[in-house]
Amino acid sequence: MLCVSTFHDQPLVMPCKYRSILERVLMVEQILSEFLLKKEELREVMRRMQQEMERGLRLETHNEASVKMLPTYVRSTPEGSEVGDFLALDLGGTNFRVMLVKVGEDEEKGWKVETKHHMYSIPQDAMTGTAEMLFDYIAECISDFLDKHQIKHKKLPLGFTFSFPVRHEDLDKGILLNWTKGFKASGAEGNNVVGLLRDAIKRRGDFEMDVVAMVNDTVATMISCYYEDRSCEVGMIVGTGCNACYMEEMRTVELVEGEEGRMCVNTEWGAFGANGELEEFRLEYDRVVDETSLNPGQQLYEKLISGKYMGELVRLVLLKLVNENLLFNGEASDLLKTRGSFETRFVSQIESDSGDRKQTFNILSTLGVLPSELDCDIVRLACERVSTRAAHMCGAGLAGVINRMRERRSQEALKITVGVDGSVYKLHPRFPERFHKIVRELTPNCDITFIQSEEGSGRGAALISAVACKMAACMLSH
């Protein structure tokens, strides 16, 4: 409930204006109650997620499944790796990272990893122009990084974290199925991403690289965390996008030959809902966010959860409350009416606010409204409801994955670690605890540890490259 303690000093017979405030509070609660999901509803989401996962793994239903369950060709988690210097690239949002990773030996852990990195911002025209423009820009960033660290003369093994849906044909070959997260570069979909990168490096001609592995950011996160905790067999991202990977039994991965051992599967669960599985859970705000996005009808599950959409959902909720005369005296500023003006970071900042509501007041002021204390409380409640639903929806998906792992392994109890990365998970003050709580409630026979990945996307790609180099060296020596 909203805090109405400011009225406690009033006489019991309340003047009319206080009655209207209480009425307002109750009407706000009623509108926002749509975001509250019952445990049975979350179990239903989990059950449908598992159904689509099963369809994604099977040859005959893979094409129709909304959850594609893409094999990554990352087989059993690494037991050791080549030491040396590796380059890692990380492309998954509007920022692109180049990273130098030094993998060395350490007496206690058996290895140590040191990293240096530089962040580059991707211009809009590279994101939405041609594939050649995008990959030429990436090659330019690599060249700049090599100059900065004076290592242009070295031909380093390179691991590429590429966080978009890819159908792998090998560890260093993957076909881009479709862009997500605001990318639209033409001529990339349907092509081998590693090939596009190699071509761009060749066009530049001022350095050489050996691209040995391409992985998804969830996979890189899982591998990076595996080096901290050997029980880590699930990787997850809750940031601009939302996705998960995990170690699946090879015998159930019908898209790849072989029965023995396990392979990491990239679920690409952001697309869950494409077959109507989420229709009764999607609200009017979700439909507007989807219709006005770059990819209407796609990534519907991700649009309920991820940082790319959370702020916009809150903005639409606030407009609804304004229209119902429940907020800001029924008047919205031009800025608040502008799509994208309410950033997801505002949600985190408002939910971090102390009792004085100072941050909330400042944020709303920058958006051109002068809120009362009650307005600030209503805005905070709207943020809490949207972010809590995101945490619970996300938790239902992960619970589906973990329960499946336990059943496939025929274990009564499963002890598992989940490596997590992403801005929503790291920066939102309450998201992790709400998320962890619901996952544990939905997985009664599992002992789950969550660890936050540090620079997981880059480090993981480099570590996978190090393992790939060691495997290649072993094969050459046999």
Side-chain angles (χ1 to χ4, degrees), residues 73 75 82 171 464-476:
Y73 288 81
R75 293 173 194 265
E82 193 76 84
L171 191 56
I464 289 168
S465 304
V467 173
C469 287
K470 186 168 188 176
M471 282 163 62
C474 288
M475 286 165 76
L476 284 172

Side-chain angles (χ1 to χ4, degrees), residues 238-250:
V238 196
T240 307
C242 180
N243 192 17
C245 72
Y246 70 102
M247 297 303 291
E248 175 61 91
E249 308 305 306
M250 270 296 287

Side-chain angles (χ1 to χ4, degrees), residues 50-150:
Q50 288 179 315
Q51 210 173 343
E52 285 303 301
M53 286 168 67
E54 185 63 38
R55 279 160 48 79
L57 285 168
R58 298 176 69 90
L59 265 175
E60 64 202 72
T61 49
H62 172 79
N63 288 343
E64 293 89 61
S66 63
V67 181
K68 287 295 180 215
M69 304 295 279
L70 302 168
T72 64
Y73 288 81
V74 172
R75 293 173 194 265
S76 59
T77 30
E79 284 310 322
S81 60
E82 193 76 84
V83 297
D85 291 358
F86 298 86
L87 206 67
L89 309 182
D90 179 10
L91 178 68
T94 47
N95 290 321
F96 166 68
R97 269 194 320 170
V98 185
M99 189 183 283
L100 177 64
V101 182
K102 291 176 178 289
V103 181
E105 290 181 26
D106 182 274
E107 282 182 23
E108 275 179 45
K109 285 186 168 179
W111 58 277
K112 65 173 191 281
V113 181
E114 292 170 19
T115 59
K116 294 174 183 172
H117 70 93
H118 190 81
M119 192 80 88
Y120 297 89
S121 184
I122 297 187
Q124 191 64 31
D125 59 351
M127 286 171 68
T128 55
T130 65
E132 202 167 285
M133 284 164 69
L134 177 62
F135 283 90
D136 280 350
Y137 178 74
I138 289 170
E140 187 187 322
C141 295
I142 300 171
S143 175
D144 176 72
F145 182 87
L146 297 174
D147 281 337
K148 277 191 171 81
H149 294 279
Q150 298 173 339

Side-chain angles (χ1 to χ4, degrees), residues 198-295:
R198 285 178 178 147
D199 290 348
I201 291 170
K202 205 177 284 179
R203 275 195 298 276
R204 266 198 83 81
D206 63 343
F207 64 90
E208 283 187 68
M209 277 293 136
D210 185 14
V211 188
V212 294
M214 178 173 75
V215 293
N216 182 273
D217 53 356
T218 56
V219 183
T221 295
M222 181 188 79
I223 295 295
S224 174
C225 291
Y226 176 83
Y227 274 80
E228 306 296 323
D229 178 341
R230 293 292 196 259
S231 307
C232 185
E233 292 189 86
V234 181
M236 193 170 159
I237 304 286
V238 196
T240 307
C242 180
N243 192 17
C245 72
Y246 70 102
M247 297 303 291
E248 175 61 91
E249 308 305 306
M250 270 296 287
R251 66 178 187 276
T252 67
V253 185
E254 292 187 7
L255 279 76
V256 178
E257 283 182 20
E259 299 282 312
E260 292 303 307
R262 292 174 185 149
M263 180 180 279
C264 180
V265 168
N266 165 21
T267 64
E268 282 299 336
W269 75 12
F272 177 56
N275 295 331
E277 310 93 318
L278 292 168
E279 280 320 289
E280 68 262 48
F281 304 108
R282 293 172 70 226
L283 307 176
E284 58 185 292
Y285 322 103
D286 300 309
R287 295 181 197 284
V288 174
V289 161
D290 177 44
E291 284 157 17
T292 54
S293 69
L294 274 172
N295 54 350

Side-chain angles (χ1 to χ4, degrees), residues 410-426:
S410 308
Q411 292 179 354
E412 262 181 52
L414 178 69
K415 186 173 168 34
I416 187 104
T417 296
V418 179
V420 196
D421 203 348
S423 52
V424 172
Y425 187 84
K426 285 182 167 175

